[in-house]
Amino acid sequence: MSEFVKKVQSKISKLSTEQLELLFDSINSKNSMFSSIIESLSTGLVIVDTKWRIFQKNKAADRLLFLNRRIYDLSENLFVWELVEDENIADFLKSCCDENKTNLSEEFSISNGEKIQFVTISVLPLVTRLEENSNSMEIEGSIITIDDITEKRKQEIILHRMESLASLTNLAASVAHEIKNPLGAISIHIQLLQKTIKKAREKDGLLPQPKFLENYLDVVNEEIENLNKIVLDFLFAVRPVQADMELIECDSLIKRTVDFFIPEFESKNIKVETDFNCEKLRLLIDEKLFKEVLVNLFQNAIAAMKEKNGILSVKTYAKNEKYILSIKDNGCGMTEDVSSRIFEPYYTTKADGTGLGLTKVYKVIKEFRGDITVKSDVGKGTVFYIAIPVPQKNTMLLADNSEAQK
């Protein structure tokens, strides 16, 4: 409150018309400046009363929460979550109201049909002092802030990809070494052919027997095929995964995928056990690619359990600020040598396998900034562990010590 307003507050009944006009001009000027500051903020701002009805907002909030896409009248006293189009954000705000939660933030992804936008929504208490010189405070509502962090997320993804590309230096060096050997063999055999042909022409002009030439040419063709395989492996390893990242509730996605496979599991006499402990936890992933990962791992489990009545266990839990998914089967298992190479391009133990499925799985999980590991015992089964970092702020994760990865 300005000094001028303080002075006239106790004498308002004695003020002249001119003084009252001056007072209201001052108040209007302050209100206008306040409104200008609110509207100029790039951060979305929504102020609600104790019943979570809006009484102040700015244009950034309209833009970031798409409030301007709804036709509404503040006099209708609608709750703030009734004006938000995104279901996850609406549920978050409603839970804050129902559970009287403040001083927390959460991250969301919003799709406007053309692109994915990432925002952080924070809820703070709106507190006022009861008296000028008193320490007594009263909560009159809540302040909701909305920050656009889309560019930040994009930069993090780009940085992660640059780090991945930097790690390819050693891979490129090893590929160069692998290419060097077949090239040397090709060079030697071509030189032998050239010398043989030259000697034949210097003597009687007759070329060697066809079988003699074919032996050298067969070696050349074989080494050319080896070179082609090395190059294809390298291209597959370095080609980036095209991921459209957004915040997804993974437990729900995994449940739907398991349900999709239930008829096939039942036809193969496979019993499915599930234990989901992260129902509302959202991860920054590509939904389509993550589903491909699940499909690949489920198909591998089915193949591993074809000789027995199988048991497939699917479990999720949060630990050390990471979302953990374990997929365990009681199939044939793998030797240590096989399990150490299963993510390599073109490595497969199946007669009709391409050797690319688990390589794709590995690349996708790495694109999500996660890790995938495998434990397997011959004759006992295999378990895949996928760990993906949780991006939300101030999320309290409950450690699950019932199953620790060793």
Side-chain angles (χ1 to χ4, degrees), residues 115 118 148-158:
K115 61 180 181 179
F118 297 94
D148 187 346
I149 58 169
T150 303
E151 288 304 316
K152 178 183 176 182
R153 282 284 169 259
K154 286 181 179 178
Q155 290 302 318
E156 288 176 353
I157 292 171
I158 291 172

Side-chain angles (χ1 to χ4, degrees), residues 58-322:
N58 64 359
K59 291 181 180 178
D62 286 338
R63 174 174 54 84
L64 295 172
L65 289 182
F66 305 109
L67 292 175
N68 58 338
R69 296 187 181 185
R70 290 285 188 101
I71 301 174
Y72 65 93
D73 185 348
L74 294 182
S75 65
E76 294 179 4
N77 290 324
L78 295 176
F79 297 110
V80 62
W81 57 82
E82 295 178 309
L83 306 173
V84 177
E85 292 190 349
D86 186 87
E87 184 178 343
N88 289 325
I89 296 177
D91 289 343
F92 169 69
L93 295 176
K94 189 174 186 305
S95 70
C96 288
C97 172
D98 294 342
E99 301 172 25
N100 195 27
K101 295 188 295 187
T102 56
N103 291 309
L104 77 164
S105 298
E106 193 157 340
E107 187 176 315
F108 298 89
S109 61
I110 306 172
S111 174
N112 63 3
E114 298 177 358
K115 61 180 181 179
I116 301 296
Q117 194 170 13
F118 297 94
V119 296
T120 297
I121 296 183
S122 302
V123 179
L124 304 168
L126 177 61
V127 181
T128 58
R129 196 182 300 276
L130 292 178
E131 297 179 7
E132 189 67 27
N133 298 318
S134 171
N135 291 326
S136 299
M137 310 294 284
E138 183 179 22
I139 295 178
E140 292 192 349
S142 299
I143 301 172
I144 304 169
T145 62
I146 310 101
D147 291 292
D148 187 346
I149 58 169
T150 303
E151 288 304 316
K152 178 183 176 182
R153 282 284 169 259
K154 286 181 179 178
Q155 290 302 318
E156 288 176 353
I157 292 171
I158 291 172
L159 179 61
H160 173 65
R161 288 176 179 172
M162 289 177 65
E163 291 172 349
S164 298
L165 288 173
S167 69
L168 293 175
T169 303
N170 292 334
L171 177 61
S174 90
V175 169
H177 178 74
E178 291 293 328
I179 289 177
K180 188 176 180 181
N181 293 332
L183 284 176
I186 290 172
S187 176
I188 290 172
H189 284 80
I190 288 178
Q191 289 177 35
L192 290 172
L193 280 171
Q194 289 173 331
K195 288 180 180 179
T196 302
I197 293 171
K198 183 179 179 181
K199 286 182 179 179
R201 286 177 175 169
E202 288 176 350
K203 292 181 178 179
D204 52 15
L206 297 176
L207 292 176
Q209 294 295 320
K211 187 63 178 176
F212 180 85
L213 293 174
E214 288 169 0
N215 288 338
Y216 286 121
L217 291 174
D218 287 343
V219 173
V220 170
N221 286 329
E222 184 180 341
E223 295 302 331
I224 289 174
E225 288 181 8
N226 289 336
L227 280 175
N228 185 54
K229 181 178 180 300
I230 291 170
V231 171
L232 288 175
D233 288 350
F234 179 73
L235 289 176
F236 185 84
V238 301
R239 187 177 291 116
V241 175
Q242 298 299 317
D244 295 322
M245 311 287 268
E246 56 183 312
L247 289 166
I248 301 292
E249 290 184 3
C250 281
D251 271 15
S252 176
L253 175 59
I254 297 170
K255 286 178 184 177
R256 294 197 304 271
T257 309
V258 169
D259 290 342
F260 176 80
F261 269 87
I262 286 297
E264 185 169 0
F265 289 143
E266 291 178 346
S267 68
K268 306 288 185 182
N269 295 319
I270 296 173
K271 179 184 178 182
V272 181
E273 299 174 348
T274 60
D275 184 11
F276 298 105
N277 298 284
C278 305
E279 185 177 350
K280 295 297 182 180
L281 207 56
R282 293 191 303 279
L283 303 182
L284 191 61
I285 62 170
D286 181 306
E287 181 174 351
K288 181 180 177 182
L289 290 178
F290 192 71
K291 187 173 181 179
E292 289 182 13
V293 167
L294 297 174
V295 169
N296 192 291
L297 294 179
F298 289 162
Q299 288 176 339
N300 278 359
I302 291 172
M305 296 184 288
K306 63 182 180 181
E307 301 298 333
K308 60 169 72 174
N309 291 331
I311 299 176
L312 180 69
S313 172
V314 181
K315 180 177 181 179
T316 67
Y317 55 94
K319 184 176 182 180
N320 299 330
E321 297 190 354
K322 289 185 177 181

Side-chain angles (χ1 to χ4, degrees), residues 310-364:
I311 299 176
L312 180 69
S313 172
V314 181
K315 180 177 181 179
T316 67
Y317 55 94
K319 184 176 182 180
N320 299 330
E321 297 190 354
K322 289 185 177 181
Y323 175 92
I324 311 295
L325 164 65
S326 69
I327 299 176
K328 181 179 181 181
D329 67 64
N330 66 337
C332 59
M334 297 177 284
T335 64
E336 184 176 349
D337 179 62
V338 172
S339 63
S340 67
R341 298 187 59 192
I342 57 172
F343 299 119
E344 295 179 11
Y346 294 100
Y347 181 80
T348 180
T349 57
K350 301 176 184 177
D352 57 348
T354 63
L356 299 178
L358 287 176
T359 303
K360 177 73 175 290
V361 166
Y362 181 85
K363 289 180 66 177
V364 168

